[in-house]
Amino acid sequence: MTELLARLADSILLADGAMGTMLHGRGAGFEKCFDELNLSKPEAVADVHREYIAAGAQLILTNTFGANRFMLGQHGLEERAAEINRAGVQLARRAAGSSGALVAGDVGPLGVRIAPFGRVQPEQARQAFAEQIRYLSEAGADLIVVETVSDLYEIREAARAAREACALPLVTSVTFTRDDRTVLGDDPATVARALQEAGADVIGVNCSGGPAQLLDEVA
């Protein structure tokens, strides 16, 4: 059993909160690529990690939510994907220090639509996810978290990519609309079954319509 699953079996594990919101509060404009700040403003990113740990976080997510080739490409940074992801893990690892906090490689949506509802084929999506996940794993992440995805087609490819790219524990977290469905109409039970079959170790929900809705979805 991995350290993540062992700790979850024994107790609740408290994770950190938003990274982008905190960086924006430190002066980063929304037009910026927050992931690139791992290179240009590393101390700002490290400060956020340290503040969350000081507040009691036992798991921190790397500043790599949008560090896939598609999202980085919007800023002309796709060729720096490896550098940005590896720096994200290194910053989080140093901030965690001897605190015992786990470092999760954070993976967000690709920012493109997946076929049959978009132009990006499932194989292309899986390759993009696998690329990022491999960078995070090789840099020393303790686990992978795929989060805030609202398309079952997309997050299923991400889970499959994670299983192909590394042997780390995999957490998947889906965002639902206010009617408790994904953007394509899948209900929480359908999503949970699909992600379990795809190899996710932990399945959850985030954002959506707030805490009350999230409690209903996991009930």
Side-chain angles (χ1 to χ4, degrees), residues 3-170:
E3 181 179 357
L4 170 70
L5 298 182
R7 290 172 68 170
L8 286 176
D10 185 58
S11 64
I12 293 173
L13 191 63
L14 181 64
D16 60 9
M19 171 61 77
T21 302
M22 298 293 282
L23 291 173
H24 178 65
R26 285 166 164 74
F30 285 124
E31 76 284 356
K32 296 285 187 180
C33 176
F34 287 173
D35 311 281
E36 189 279 333
L37 297 179
N38 293 339
L39 305 179
S40 62
K41 300 286 185 182
E43 197 55 36
V45 175
D47 281 346
V48 175
H49 288 317
R50 286 191 287 263
E51 287 182 12
Y52 276 125
I53 291 170
Q58 299 162 296
L59 184 153
I60 56 174
L61 276 67
T62 58
N63 180 42
T64 54
F65 179 78
N68 63 74
R69 69 169 72 163
F70 291 104
M71 293 290 284
L72 292 176
Q74 297 176 15
H75 301 275
L77 294 168
E78 61 269 34
E79 297 302 320
R80 305 192 75 181
E83 189 180 2
I84 289 170
N85 280 283
R86 289 167 181 158
V89 174
Q90 292 163 2
L91 287 169
R93 179 64 65 198
R94 286 199 293 269
S98 60
S99 69
L102 296 174
V103 172
D106 192 24
V107 178
L110 297 177
V112 294
R113 296 300 299 273
I114 308 299
F117 302 98
R119 296 183 178 181
V120 176
Q121 296 300 310
E123 295 79 8
Q124 294 174 299
R126 192 185 307 181
Q127 184 178 20
F129 279 124
E131 179 181 72
Q132 182 185 6
I133 290 167
R134 194 172 294 112
Y135 295 146
L136 295 168
S137 173
E138 291 173 352
D142 295 310
L143 63 142
I144 299 297
V145 173
V146 181
E147 53 136 335
T148 321
V149 182
S150 57
D151 179 346
L152 177 55
Y153 284 88
E154 183 174 7
I155 197 165
R156 185 164 52 195
E157 292 305 323
R160 290 169 174 168
R163 284 293 164 248
E164 293 174 2
C166 71
L168 296 178
L170 173 63

